[in-house]
Amino acid sequence: MYIELSEPYIIGGQITSRSQDIFVIRESGEYASLLKYEDYTSATVRKLEWCYSESDYHFFFGAGGQLRPMNITGPVLSKVIPWNLETAQYPESVHRDEIKPGYMLDLRVLQMSRFNPPRWFEHSPQERRDTPIRQIKSLLPEYLPDISYLPLIASNQLCDPVEENLYIASYVNPLKVRDCNQFYPYHIHYISTKELDSFEQLDLKNGQVIDLNGLNQTIDRLKNALIQTPDSDEIKTQLNQERQVLAAQSLARFYRNAGVQAGALNPEDVLGQVSQNQVKHAQVMRADRATVCMVANLMSFL
């Protein structure tokens, strides 16, 4: 399936919500599903858990008077097992039979940290800080803000395979700055296997024998060609196709084949070689090389 990857990652020196798009490598290892930010956060998606303020919250995974089961606390990617669902607190809008075991993908653990120093043309964006939630007094004594350990019979379920249903935990304001000592608004949404199948799919067999350094050079040549003929649909199409190959093989080689479970890249770090001439042309910068930002590899559990 053709995936259009031309929307910008960066506007005015700020990364956009597109940096929160997720490639999910499926258990078969043949394809990766692309979940755009709105695909897992919009009002139409089933929401299981949230904490938006001191008075607006629902803790789905609260069990035994404690808020966090140990098996889904800490990892970026973990299993949601039958025991988690048997002890869960279902919101009124969600029917128990709709929710099945699957994988928890906790995007709060991933960071869009910079790994490379800024380029000569970058400007420091204005810092935007998230607003923390203070102590929720109404929780006590109903809940303890602590971790619950699974009984032995439930721990054994962690060895069993689960379907490709996703529980995606994310901050409400993912692009804002947070202090690791504070607690911030978040929510958890549920994506079923059927819904995951309906999203755009990237073929990981595409470009298996291509040298990626040579592909980078090809992309640079296409960028320069687009500057000369900005209305060329042929160049735009070829550029998008080459970028899809780069995305597919970045996922296949550096995540699937290497057994890497999850990761994130700041799009500012993977723009490639950018000339002064290219910086002046917005349409070329829109066609940047940052085709992989957030990744979850379900094949890593097999």
Side-chain angles (χ1 to χ4, degrees):
M1 178 181 291
Y2 183 78
I3 296 179
E4 176 59 52
L5 296 172
S6 60
E7 296 179 3
Y9 284 100
I10 303 163
I11 296 178
Q14 297 275 5
I15 60 173
T16 68
S17 60
R18 187 183 167 198
S19 67
Q20 303 302 299
D21 293 354
I22 311 165
F23 276 114
V24 179
I25 300 175
R26 307 299 295 272
E27 289 179 345
S28 69
E30 296 182 358
Y31 296 92
S33 299
L34 173 61
L35 278 73
K36 297 180 180 179
Y37 179 63
E38 60 271 17
D39 290 335
Y40 64 89
T41 59
S42 70
T44 60
V45 183
R46 280 168 290 197
K47 183 168 59 178
L48 301 179
E49 179 168 314
W50 63 90
C51 188
Y52 295 147
S53 69
E54 286 81 354
S55 59
D56 186 0
Y57 57 84
H58 178 86
F59 296 106
F60 178 77
F61 286 108
Q66 295 174 311
L67 294 181
R68 306 301 308 172
M70 185 62 183
N71 66 302
I72 58 171
T73 302
V76 177
L77 197 60
S78 56
K79 285 183 181 179
V80 176
I81 57 177
W83 180 85
N84 292 127
L85 302 183
E86 292 164 4
T87 58
Q89 310 298 316
Y90 288 77
E92 293 182 359
S93 60
V94 176
H95 195 278
R96 182 181 293 266
D97 293 340
E98 298 176 349
I99 309 302
K100 305 297 182 183
Y103 297 96
M104 166 71 82
L105 175 56
D106 199 332
L107 301 181
R108 296 171 298 175
V109 184
L110 292 178
Q111 300 291 325
M112 282 288 157
S113 302
R114 291 296 301 271
F115 300 123
N116 292 327
R119 292 171 172 80
W120 56 269
F121 58 83
E122 290 184 33
H123 301 285
S124 298
Q126 182 179 359
E127 187 176 89
R128 298 176 296 171
R129 301 197 68 85
D130 204 353
T131 302
I133 295 175
R134 305 303 177 184
Q135 187 180 51
I136 305 177
K137 296 181 180 179
S138 59
L139 280 181
L140 301 175
E142 180 182 359
Y143 285 106
L144 293 174
D146 202 354
I147 294 173
S148 60
Y149 289 89
L150 283 63
L152 181 59
I153 189 171
S155 297
N156 293 336
Q157 295 176 0
L158 293 170
C159 301
D160 298 332
V162 294
E163 296 182 16
E164 295 176 294
N165 305 304
L166 294 181
Y167 298 72
I168 302 179
S170 61
Y171 284 118
V172 175
N173 302 303
L175 303 181
K176 292 187 176 181
V177 178
R178 285 170 291 277
D179 183 337
C180 65
N181 295 307
Q182 301 290 343
F183 176 78
Y184 293 92
Y186 75 96
H187 37 210
I188 299 177
H189 294 87
Y190 178 81
I191 303 291
S192 69
T193 303
K194 183 177 180 180
E195 291 165 335
L196 193 59
D197 290 339
S198 70
F199 296 129
E200 296 172 297
Q201 309 293 319
L202 189 65
D203 186 354
L204 301 189
K205 300 185 295 296
N206 189 11
Q208 294 181 88
V209 297
I210 288 180
D211 174 70
L212 298 188
N213 288 312
L215 181 58
N216 278 343
Q217 295 175 6
T218 298
I219 290 174
D220 281 335
R221 287 196 296 269
L222 289 170
K223 284 182 177 181
N224 288 322
L226 192 59
I227 289 175
Q228 301 301 320
T229 53
D231 297 326
S232 173
D233 291 335
E234 181 181 354
I235 295 176
K236 292 177 183 178
T237 298
Q238 186 179 357
L239 182 57
N240 274 329
Q241 289 173 342
E242 300 293 4
R243 291 169 64 238
Q244 287 188 65
V245 173
L246 183 63
Q249 287 310 305
S250 295
L251 292 169
R253 300 179 193 186
F254 309 128
Y255 284 89
R256 182 196 65 188
N257 297 353
V260 175
Q261 198 163 62
L265 280 174
N266 189 305
E268 289 277 20
D269 280 340
V270 284
L271 283 175
Q273 298 296 322
V274 180
S275 68
Q276 187 170 6
N277 193 34
Q278 288 173 342
V279 171
K280 298 177 182 178
H281 293 78
Q283 74 271 26
V284 174
M285 294 304 293
R286 284 170 61 87
D288 59 59
R289 195 176 288 156
T291 50
V292 177
C293 279
M294 305 184 80
V295 181
N297 179 12
L298 302 187
M299 190 181 176
S300 63
F301 278 87
L302 302 179

